[in-house]
C-alpha cells in the first residue's frame, strides 16, 4: 500500500479549497488552527469544526502541522509552566477528537530560512534559494546583530560584504522582510511582522537566548518531552518533531534537531512511539554529512510523517529543485518508508499508513497568478505528489513481486 497522500492546507483563507483537494486525489489534510494564538489552548469545538469540514469532503485530518511550541517553552521563561499545561490540554483535546499525529519543531526564534523566494529555474519555474553569503549579509550588515561577524569565517564575511554592497536599500529591506516575516508569518511565527519595528522585535527575541547554548536547549527539549509525551501517549497522539531547516545553527542560536545523533538523542529521551519524528528529506539533506537512508532506516519505527522534497546543492547553498530531480536520490528513501509500513502491518501495529506530503513545490504555470504562501503553490505541489505517487506504485510492485 502506498503512503497516505496528504496536503498542507492553511484553512478557509487558503486559495486551494478542500473540494479541489478531493478532486486531485488527496486522502488526508495537514493543517493547524492558525487562528488560535501561539501558546493558547486549542478547544475541542474549534478542532471539531475543522475536522468536520475536512471529513465533509471525504478526507481526514491526518496531521496537525504544527502545534507550535512557544518561545517561552524553548527558553523556559517564567510563563513556561502555563505554556506546557496549555500544550498538554491541546494534545488531550486533539486526542479526544481522534486526531492522532502532531508535528512540531524546536527551532529558536526562526523556523525555516531562505534568502530568495523567486529563484528562476532554466525552464521558467520559480523556487526558493538559500545562499549562505547572502544570509550572512542579512545577519551582519542588514540586521546588524551584535557579535554576528564573529560567528562566521572571515572569508565568508568578506563575501557577504560584497553581497551587501551590491544591494540597494529596498533590496536589503526585502531580504530582511522575507527572512523575518514573509516565510514565518503564515506558520504562526514568533515575530509580529505587521509592526514597523519588526527587525528590533526580532533582535529582542534572539537576545532572550543569551546563555542558552546547545546543551541547555537540549535540557529544555528534554523537559518539554517529559511533560508532553506521557500526555500524548494517554491521548492516543503521536508527536513527531520536524528537523531544523537548514540543519545548522543560524543567527548565533543553537539548533539541536539536525543530525542522526540529535534525532536518536530525542527518541531516547522518552521511549515511546508517541515520541517520534517527521522525516523531512529537504531539511535533513542540506547537511552533506547526513546520510538520509541511514537516518530513515535507524529511526523508521518512530517516523510518523514524511515531508518529501529535493534540493539542488550549489557551491554556496541550495535551491528547492522539485520532488524527484535534484541532489537527493528519493528512490531508496521512499522504499524504506514503504517497507516500514509492511513491517508495521506484520507486527500488528495500528499506524500502518504513513502520511506523506509533497513538501513545497516549484511555482509553475497558473501558480504565477494564484495567491499562495511561499513554497506552497498548487500546480507545483500537485506535480510533485503525482511523481511521488508514481514512484511509490512502482516500488510497491517490486516489493510484491
Ligand atoms: C515550512 C515548513 C515548516 C514546518 C515546521 C514544522 O514550509 O516545512 O514551517 O511546518 O517547521 O513544525
Amino acid at each position: 500500500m502506498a503512503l497516505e497522500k496528504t496536503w498542507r492546507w492553511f484553512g478557509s483563507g487558503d486559495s486551494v479549497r478542500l473540494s479541489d483537494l478531493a478532486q486531485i486525489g488527496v486522502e488526508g489534510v495537514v493543517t493547524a488552527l492558525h487562528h488560535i494564538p501561539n501558546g493558547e489552548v486549542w478547544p475541542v469545538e474549534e478542532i471539531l469544526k475543522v475536522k468536520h469540514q475536512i471529513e465533509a469532503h471525504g478526507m481526514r485530518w491526518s496531521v496537525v502541522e504544527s502545534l507550535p511550541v512557544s518561545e517561552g517553552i524553548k527558553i523556559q521563561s517564567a510563563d513556561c509552566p502555563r505554556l506546557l499545561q496549555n500544550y498538554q490540554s491541546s494534545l488531550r483535546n486533539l486526542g479526544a477528537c481522534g486526531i492522532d499525529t502532531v508535528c512540531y519543531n524546536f527551532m529558536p526564534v526562526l523556523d525555516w530560512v531562505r534568502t530568495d523566494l523567486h529563484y528562476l529555474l532554466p525552464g521558467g519555474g520559480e523556487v526558493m534559494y538559500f545562499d549562505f553569503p547572502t544570509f550572512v549579509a542579512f545577519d551582519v550588515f542588514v540586521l546588524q546583530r551584535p557579535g554576528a561577524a564573529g560567528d562566521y569565517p572571515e572569508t565568508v564575511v568578506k563575501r557577504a560584504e560584497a553581497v551587501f554592497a551590491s544591494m540597494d536599500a529596498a533590496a536589503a529591506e526585502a531580504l530582511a522582510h522575507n527572512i523575518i516575516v514573509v516565510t514565518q508569518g503564515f506558520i504562526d511565527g514568533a515575530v509580529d511582522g505587521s509592526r514597523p519595528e519588526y527587525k528590533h522585535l526580532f533582535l529582542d527575541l534572539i537576545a532572550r537566548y543569551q546563555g542558552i547554548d546547545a546543551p541547555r536547549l537540549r535540557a529544555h527539549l528534554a523537559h518539554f518531552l517529559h511533560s508532553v509525551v506521557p500526555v500524548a501517549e494517554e491521548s492516543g497522539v503521536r508527536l513527531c518533531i520536524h528537523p531544523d531547516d537548514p540543519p545548522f545553527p543560524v543567527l548565533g542560536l543553537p539548533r539541536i534537531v539536525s543530525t542522526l545523533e540529535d534525532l536518536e538523542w530525542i527518541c531516547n529521551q522518552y521511549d515511546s512511539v508517541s515520541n517520534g519524528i517527521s522525516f523531512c528529506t529537504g531539511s535533513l539533506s542540506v547537511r552533506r554529512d547526513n546520510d538520509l537512508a541511514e537516518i530513515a532506516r535507524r529511526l523508521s519505527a518512530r517516523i510518523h510523517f514524511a515531508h518529501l522534497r529535493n534540493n539542488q546543492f550549489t557551491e554556496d547553498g541550495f535551491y528547492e529543485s522539485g520532488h524527484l530531480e535534484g541532489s537527493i536520490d528519493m528512490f531508496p528513501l521512499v522504499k524504506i518508508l514503504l517497507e516500514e509500513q509492511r513491517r508495521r502491518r506484520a507486527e500488528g501495529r495500528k499506524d500502518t499508513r504513513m502520511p506523506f506530503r509533497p513538501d513545497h513545490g516549484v511555482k509553475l504555470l497558473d501558480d504565477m497568478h494564484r495567491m499562495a504562501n511561499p513554497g506552497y503553490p498548487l500546480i507545483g505541489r500537485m506535480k510533485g505528489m503525482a511523481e511521488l505517487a508514481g514512484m511509490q506504485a512502482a516500488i510497491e510492485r517490486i516489493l510484491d513481486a
Side-chain angles (χ1 to χ4, degrees):
M1 191 186 281
L3 306 173
E4 184 188 20
K5 271 192 213 138
T6 70
W7 187 278
R8 192 170 194 185
W9 178 70
F10 293 98
S12 18
D14 198 316
S15 67
V16 182
R17 292 163 307 179
L18 288 171
S19 54
D20 299 335
L21 298 184
Q23 221 180 99
I24 64 175
V26 167
E27 297 167 290
V29 171
V30 173
T31 194
L33 299 186
H34 293 286
H35 60 289
I36 309 279
N38 189 326
E40 297 306 317
V41 177
W42 287 16
V44 165
E45 316 78 74
E46 295 299 310
I47 298 170
L48 285 180
K49 260 192 233 159
V50 174
K51 183 174 188 253
H52 292 150
Q53 214 185 344
I54 295 170
E55 287 172 353
H57 291 276
M59 297 172 288
R60 70 173 194 120
W61 185 352
S62 306
V63 182
V64 169
E65 180 174 356
S66 303
L67 182 58
V69 179
S70 315
E71 289 297 296
I73 294 179
K74 293 180 229 165
I75 62 171
Q76 292 204 348
S77 63
D79 210 16
C80 183
R82 182 187 72 89
L83 293 166
L84 284 172
Q85 267 176 20
N86 287 357
Y87 207 95
Q88 292 169 334
S89 302
S90 296
L91 288 176
R92 286 198 187 94
N93 292 349
L94 285 163
C97 298
I99 313 293
D100 57 18
T101 308
V102 174
C103 170
Y104 69 100
N105 73 73
F106 215 79
M107 287 176 258
V109 188
L110 205 57
D111 192 309
W112 58 311
V113 192
R114 301 292 182 271
T115 52
D116 182 357
L117 308 185
H118 302 284
Y119 177 71
L120 264 193
L121 294 178
E126 252 185 33
V127 294
M128 290 182 292
Y129 202 119
F130 178 84
D131 177 69
F132 194 56
T134 306
F135 181 74
V136 176
F138 156 72
D139 191 10
V140 177
F141 301 105
V142 181
L143 191 62
Q144 297 179 11
R145 178 174 63 85
D151 286 340
Y152 305 103
E154 220 173 288
T155 47
V156 178
V157 177
K158 278 239 147 58
R159 294 192 45 211
E161 199 171 3
V163 172
F164 180 63
S166 72
M167 286 190 262
D168 59 18
E173 185 64 26
L175 177 64
H177 199 254
N178 281 344
I179 293 176
I180 302 175
V181 180
V182 183
T183 52
Q184 307 298 305
F186 72 94
I187 46 166
D188 313 301
V191 180
D192 179 357
S194 63
R195 308 257 300 265
E197 71 279 27
Y198 72 95
K199 276 185 261 166
H200 288 117
L201 295 173
F202 186 65
L203 282 169
D204 288 347
L205 284 178
I206 294 174
R208 291 173 80 196
Y209 280 81
Q210 232 159 39
I212 304 183
D213 57 3
R216 175 113 179 256
L217 189 63
R218 267 193 170 184
H220 295 180
L221 174 55
H223 180 67
F224 169 75
L225 292 172
H226 284 280
S227 313
V228 303
V229 178
V231 175
E233 226 172 12
E234 277 161 34
S235 314
V237 169
R238 290 179 296 277
L239 285 160
C240 44
I241 193 164
H242 187 283
D244 304 327
D245 179 3
F248 46 76
V250 291
L251 303 163
L253 298 166
R255 290 208 178 209
I256 55 167
V257 194
S258 296
T259 63
L260 173 61
E261 200 249 320
D262 289 340
L263 293 166
E264 282 185 325
W265 180 89
I266 291 164
C267 290
N268 291 336
Q269 286 314 297
Y270 197 103
D271 186 17
S272 163
V273 168
S274 285
N275 178 23
I277 64 169
S278 301
F279 183 62
C280 178
T281 58
S283 303
L284 288 167
S285 64
V286 164
R287 264 181 96 112
R288 301 201 196 187
D289 56 347
N290 272 344
D291 176 345
L292 265 66
E294 173 77 0
I295 295 176
R297 245 182 253 115
R298 294 272 281 269
L299 302 175
S300 59
R302 295 282 188 96
I303 297 178
H304 302 316
F305 182 30
H307 282 185
L308 302 179
R309 154 167 82 77
N310 220 319
N311 291 317
Q312 180 63 51
F313 302 133
T314 60
E315 208 179 314
D316 288 318
F318 63 90
Y319 62 85
E320 301 190 354
S321 46
H323 295 86
L324 296 190
E325 52 281 281
S327 304
I328 307 170
D329 186 3
M330 204 54 85
F331 171 84
L333 307 179
V334 172
K335 182 160 171 275
I336 292 166
L337 300 178
L338 291 170
E339 284 166 344
E340 171 60 18
Q341 290 196 139
R342 290 173 178 241
R343 204 182 59 77
R344 291 184 189 182
R345 276 206 297 279
E347 256 183 18
R349 253 170 80 157
K350 282 202 214 100
D351 55 335
T352 52
R353 196 94 203 275
M354 194 187 293
F356 90 97
R357 68 172 177 83
D359 191 22
H360 303 175
V362 180
K363 232 170 143 182
L364 298 170
L365 309 168
D366 285 4
D367 286 334
M368 303 295 179
H369 318 292
R370 180 189 270 268
M371 281 285 292
N373 290 321
Y376 291 90
L378 167 63
I379 299 176
R381 281 190 289 164
M382 198 165 100
K383 176 171 180 276
M385 187 172 78
E387 289 172 343
L388 290 160
M391 176 177 263
Q392 290 174 45
I395 297 175
E396 280 288 299
R397 289 285 288 269
I398 296 169
L399 294 177
D400 279 341

